[in-house]
Amino acid sequence: MELTGAEITVRCLMEEGVEFVFGYPGGAVLNIYDAIFKQDGFKHILVRHEQAAVHAADGYARSTGKVGVALVTSGPGITNAVTGIATAYMDSIPLIVISGQVSTHAIGLDAFQEVDAVGITRPCVKHNFLVKDIKELAATIKKAFYIASTGRPGPVLVDIPKDITSQAFEYVYPATVNMRSYNAGVKGHGGQIKKAAQMLLEAKRPMIYSGGGVVLGNAAPQLVELTRLLGFPCTNTLMGLGAYPATDKQFVGMLGMHGTYEANMAMQHSDVLLAVGARFDDRVIGSPEHFAREARRIIHIDIDPSSIAKRVRVDVPIVGDVAAVLDELIKLIKAAKEPRDEAALSAWWTQIEGWRNLDCLKFDRHSDIIKPQRVIEQLWQVTQGDAFVTTDVGQHQMWAAQFYKFDQPRRWITSGGLGTMGFGLPAAMGVQLAQPGRNVACVTGESSIQMCIQELSTCRQYHIPIKIINLNNRYMGMVRQWQEFFYGNRYAESYMDSLPDFVKLAESYGHVGMKIEKPEDVEAALREAFALKDRLVFMDFITDQTENVFPMVPNGAGISEMILAEEL
Amino acid sequence: MRHIISLLMENEAGALSRVAGLFSARGYNIESLSVAPTEDSTLSRMTIVTRGSEEVIEQIVKQLNKLIDVVKILDLSDGSHIERELMLVKVRAYGKDREEMKRMADIFRGRIIDVTEKTYTIELTGPGAKLDAFIEAIDPAVILETVRTGASGIGRGERILKI
């Protein structure tokens, strides 16, 4: 059957089981929008800014594990989308971004709304395509989905010139993809896995360090099984939260720049470290030269060979799908006959409990100003630990990571790698659409929320009942904190002046607004908001302006060199 | 350490810029880069000469392998290989320089491929170091123009980069 390029594009998306396309129309994609108008296979969500389209598709992808789809026009459409694409790239989120392009005969002539989309996005996509021939269109979209969702996932851009969308061609959606230059499935090396099992069994001060790869690879059940089988302490990175249940006693909290004292100390003092789907990022291990590399043996499992030995040399590298490798490891550990050094493990736990007893996350619970940590704790209680939580970037993000105890993967939706302010609200839209009826909270701050606040309009149009937890301290809190610690209290441009009345703002978009100023009102307000099942509630919490995130590892230091709350 | 990395990649628009972009984005050094189609019209072969510690070279190879358009990769410096580069040098060749230039070209097994009353254009092939040596050996004042292709390399004997 002959279809136009626009119809082929839409049919391909339906073929891939796409439920939502987040987008914004414009000249170069008008044919595609016309084809969307005539179909009912998926729902199009009209955002108010292209950055939000990509973040929403990203939130959808993170919470479901499926590929998110965004559709934008050429020129400013795609440049606006770049922040969203880079956000997804840094966190390895599977996305397809379809961008319109000027017609093939106009490419390179500085046409209206022309930009080199493939060139601009090249450094922040897993791969991208410019479709120059309608014959290639369906196969290209098939490849794009395949590349985005396999191996280490990532965003893939498909740039489609307008004339391609109006030409007609016989539509056949390829059943399979065969690419000689791309091999997604890697099975871990058997010999290396054996070596790793042996090393784990001999460990006296073991530590399991698990990252976003465990969430992306759907390997949380394996991680939990292995950790419990071994009885080892486990930490999750910011991206890995929820992969190991935070309420479990073997969980020592998040590690890194704002990780717990016990997690960072255990990392630094372990003798065998099992890194799973994590990449020894600078915010996680601090400076590699202070990482006490010689003191311990490291096993590193990752699907991406380039993540291994990038910042830290490892002893047992295992390239492979984390779930499959962990399955193998579990089998070997179960079959092992050698007695383990239980005494050493128990001494190690005693030491860890000592670190844990420091209670590094303590804060003033009797303050008569709202403490942001308390808001998150109560959010956790009110939602029974079962909400999907998106965030923006800064102090509120760290408090959410520290105080909301995620027991399941894919509940914690945050921009970890790129650190994109403005991510939280649009991401929450994508999550809520994917999870109808579930509690979705966007934890944000008064600075971050203003970066994509126009999406309150989208939420109104599609009745997306998310709950916005705005920790309003009238500062770009994390910037202010760094200025307090490292810049002699010179608060250069970190005060958010002339803030809107968020209650009225929410109301003007047709939502419910609440302003909460007293600690004793926090819980009741949260209960009231979450009881409003079908409404978006914007909760403006007026919090302590001077509160800081602790512990904190100063930039470039080793992770055991933490600044703790009482030291100031 | 200097490394010569050979790769086969899909002969598609933009493949070269993916490689070049990777090197600039990650701060890797490119000494030279040459690329041309192969006997299989769907594939191009690229030779990159780069410098870096073992860790950096390992990352370069891994990152290149990650590019979707890269089909196969071989670090020629890991084993025995042959390296060749072509250079064209236009030199001033009159008076006493004329005979001297002819002599130097002969010593380096170069060929004079263009002659005017005042200039010679010399073609020289060899490993990069030999071309450097030629430039060193002649008086810089007589050099009017040089152009080099960048290195191409191939493994010795049974070392073959093919899909």
Side-chain angles (χ1 to χ4, degrees):
Chain A
M1 183 187 20
E2 283 224 334
L3 296 179
T4 66
E7 289 162 346
I8 290 174
T9 305
V10 165
R11 284 286 290 270
C12 291
L13 296 180
M14 286 158 67
E15 206 85 50
E16 290 290 337
V18 171
E19 298 174 275
F20 296 101
V21 171
F22 301 89
Y24 204 103
V29 285
L30 278 174
N31 292 326
I32 299 177
Y33 271 88
D34 196 46
I36 287 176
F37 190 83
K38 296 174 191 158
Q39 61 84 44
D40 55 7
F42 56 81
K43 187 163 184 193
H44 180 272
I45 304 295
L46 174 68
V47 294
R48 301 302 186 258
H49 187 289
E50 288 89 349
Q51 180 187 344
V54 186
H55 289 331
D58 182 324
Y60 172 89
R62 290 185 203 230
S63 79
T64 59
K66 297 184 207 164
V67 179
V69 181
L71 170 61
V72 300
T73 193
S74 65
I78 183 62
T79 57
N80 278 345
V82 168
T83 299
I85 296 171
T87 302
Y89 178 69
M90 288 294 275
D91 292 341
S92 307
I93 305 304
L95 291 187
I96 300 297
V97 178
I98 296 175
S99 54
Q101 182 54 278
V102 301
S103 289
T104 47
H105 54 81
I107 290 179
L109 301 179
D110 301 318
F112 176 65
Q113 292 193 330
E114 179 186 358
V115 80
D116 174 11
V118 163
I120 280 183
T121 58
R122 189 183 303 117
C124 60
V125 291
K126 185 170 174 187
H127 197 57
N128 57 21
F129 297 95
L130 168 63
V131 183
K132 283 192 191 149
D133 187 337
I134 179 125
K135 295 191 198 82
E136 303 289 327
L137 181 58
T140 301
I141 294 175
K142 177 83 187 175
K143 273 187 200 169
F145 272 91
Y146 178 67
I147 293 169
S149 58
T150 53
R152 179 177 180 176
V156 177
L157 175 91
V158 184
D159 196 33
I160 310 177
K162 189 170 186 182
D163 55 336
I164 302 289
T165 63
S166 57
Q167 291 165 17
F169 189 67
E170 184 70 22
Y171 170 70
V172 183
Y173 198 61
T176 54
V177 178
N178 187 15
M179 294 175 72
R180 61 182 171 183
S181 62
Y182 177 69
N183 179 16
V186 199
K187 210 170 158 284
H189 187 278
Q192 293 289 87
I193 298 175
K194 253 188 214 140
K195 236 196 260 178
Q198 194 57 37
M199 210 175 260
L200 289 171
L201 290 167
E202 289 164 4
K204 295 187 188 310
R205 297 185 310 280
M207 179 72 174
I208 298 176
Y209 149 50
S210 118
V214 175
V215 177
L216 296 167
N218 298 315
Q222 286 88 342
L223 175 73
V224 172
E225 188 180 352
L226 180 71
T227 306
R228 290 196 176 142
L229 190 61
L230 290 164
F232 290 178
C234 180
T235 181
N236 285 160
T237 66
L238 181 74
M239 294 312 299
L241 291 178
Y244 194 84
T247 53
D248 189 274
K249 62 182 188 320
Q250 280 172 253
F251 187 64
V252 293
M254 178 175 79
L255 82 165
M257 184 172 268
H258 295 295
T260 65
Y261 187 72
E262 52 271 32
N264 286 346
M265 292 301 275
M267 277 294 277
Q268 200 74 335
H269 291 90
S270 60
D271 71 336
V272 171
L273 178 63
L274 173 64
V276 194
R279 57 188 178 93
F280 294 89
D281 152 5
D282 56 298
R283 286 296 191 266
V284 167
I285 62 151
S287 157
E289 67 218 63
H290 299 299
F291 189 53
R293 173 60 197 88
E294 300 311 321
R296 70 176 83 81
R297 289 178 297 168
I298 300 178
I299 303 159
H300 191 179
I301 308 169
D302 204 290
I303 197 156
D304 178 3
S306 74
S307 281
I308 295 178
K310 184 166 67 180
R311 296 191 78 234
V312 169
R313 204 163 38 76
V314 301
D315 300 276
V316 184
I318 304 172
V319 176
D321 173 68
V322 284
V325 173
L326 290 179
D327 275 334
E328 288 299 308
L329 261 181
I330 290 167
K331 258 190 243 161
L332 291 173
I333 302 279
K334 278 185 176 162
K337 303 225 161 36
E338 308 90 321
R340 291 161 50 193
D341 192 344
E342 298 295 344
L345 185 60
S346 136
W348 175 230
W349 269 113
T350 308
Q351 191 173 6
I352 291 171
E353 290 307 331
W355 290 324
R356 193 168 356 216
N357 286 339
L358 197 78
D359 191 12
C360 67
L361 297 179
K362 62 177 171 277
F363 61 92
D364 178 6
R365 288 167 186 280
H366 308 291
S367 164
D368 49 10
I369 313 171
I370 297 178
K371 289 287 181 183
Q373 299 96 320
R374 186 77 187 121
V375 178
I376 306 294
E377 253 183 13
Q378 285 177 314
L379 171 67
W380 177 68
Q381 283 159 359
V382 167
T383 57
Q384 291 158 332
D386 198 31
F388 290 80
V389 177
T390 74
T391 73
D392 280 298
V393 172
Q395 285 185 322
H396 70 266
Q397 179 188 29
M398 293 300 119
W399 285 317
Q402 291 174 332
F403 290 90
Y404 199 102
K405 300 187 186 71
F406 294 93
D407 280 342
Q408 289 175 72
R410 300 197 180 278
R411 296 304 175 91
W412 167 243
I413 315 284
T414 199
S415 166
L418 196 68
T420 308
M421 290 170 73
F423 174 79
L425 172 55
M429 303 189 316
V431 175
Q432 184 77 79
L433 287 163
Q435 315 288 343
R438 308 300 291 271
N439 285 331
V440 179
C442 165
V443 175
T444 183
E446 82 293 333
S447 310
S448 282
I449 190 68
Q450 292 192 80
M451 285 212 183
C452 273
I453 199 150
Q454 74 287 343
E455 297 309 315
L456 287 174
S457 172
T458 310
C459 292
R460 175 68 182 164
Q461 181 174 349
Y462 299 98
H463 307 289
I464 301 174
I466 57 177
K467 307 295 178 269
I468 296 172
I469 315 294
N470 188 39
L471 300 178
N472 184 346
N473 62 357
R474 285 83 69 214
Y475 272 114
M476 291 160 214
M478 191 58 89
V479 173
R480 192 205 56 76
Q481 177 169 341
W482 280 57
Q483 288 170 335
E484 179 187 331
F485 289 9
F486 311 118
Y487 293 89
N489 299 310
R490 292 182 300 280
Y491 297 136
E493 307 294 326
S494 56
Y495 183 73
M496 282 307 270
D497 211 342
S498 306
L499 288 172
D501 178 332
F502 286 110
V503 172
K504 281 191 188 153
L505 184 72
E507 286 169 358
S508 78
Y509 278 109
H511 301 306
V512 179
M514 289 170 135
K515 185 172 186 174
I516 304 97
E517 296 178 271
K518 294 198 191 93
E520 59 270 27
D521 295 339
V522 170
E523 191 188 333
L526 284 165
R527 290 202 186 281
E528 186 186 337
F530 280 93
L532 294 169
K533 286 276 173 216
D534 53 350
R535 298 299 298 275
L536 183 150
V537 183
F538 192 116
M539 311 183 74
D540 189 21
F541 291 94
I542 307 303
T543 61
D544 188 345
Q545 287 196 285
T546 59
E547 193 58 46
N548 289 317
V549 181
F550 293 111
M552 178 177 189
V553 179
N555 210 11
I559 53 167
S560 51
E561 298 162 45
M562 284 164 274
I563 305 172
L564 298 170
E566 67 267 27
E567 287 170 11
L568 288 163
Chain B
M1 259 282 280
R2 179 173 182 267
H3 279 249
I4 305 178
I5 297 168
S6 274
L7 48 103
L8 289 171
M9 56 191 201
E10 299 290 353
N11 191 6
E12 281 184 22
L16 171 62
S17 59
R18 287 183 209 281
V19 174
L22 170 69
F23 273 73
S24 65
R26 293 192 182 265
Y28 306 142
N29 178 339
I30 299 185
E31 205 160 276
S32 75
L33 183 158
S34 75
V35 59
T38 64
E39 76 284 4
D40 173 349
S41 64
T42 65
L43 286 174
S44 296
R45 175 152 172 160
M46 182 185 279
T47 311
I48 303 168
V49 180
T50 182
R51 277 180 196 277
S53 62
E54 286 309 304
E55 291 78 25
V56 169
I57 300 292
E58 182 185 333
Q59 267 297 310
I60 290 175
V61 171
K62 285 173 169 177
Q63 293 289 348
L64 284 168
N65 254 321
K66 242 170 99 169
L67 294 176
I68 307 285
D69 285 337
V70 171
V71 182
K72 212 165 178 188
I73 195 165
L74 179 66
D75 183 350
L76 286 174
S77 311
D78 278 347
S80 67
H81 62 278
I82 299 160
E83 173 196 346
R84 286 293 179 273
E85 183 176 359
L86 173 75
M87 174 167 72
L88 304 176
V89 194
K90 192 173 286 181
V91 293
R92 202 172 57 210
Y94 60 88
K96 64 172 174 46
D97 286 338
R98 198 162 178 92
E99 190 45 40
E100 171 68 5
M101 279 299 113
K102 171 78 174 77
R103 215 166 50 83
M104 289 305 284
D106 288 344
I107 291 171
F108 280 85
R109 301 191 207 297
R111 298 195 303 145
I112 297 172
I113 55 170
D114 187 45
V115 178
T116 68
E117 277 177 24
K118 289 185 177 172
T119 67
Y120 283 153
T121 298
I122 302 167
E123 175 193 307
L124 209 63
T125 321
K130 174 185 160 183
L131 308 188
D132 294 341
F134 179 76
I135 298 284
E136 288 283 307
I138 61 175
D139 177 3
V142 304
I143 301 175
L144 299 172
E145 192 179 349
T146 63
V147 53
R148 297 172 69 152
T149 58
S152 290
I154 196 162
R156 279 193 186 271
E158 301 301 307
R159 272 187 103 206
I160 291 165
L161 176 62
K162 204 172 171 61
I163 56 165

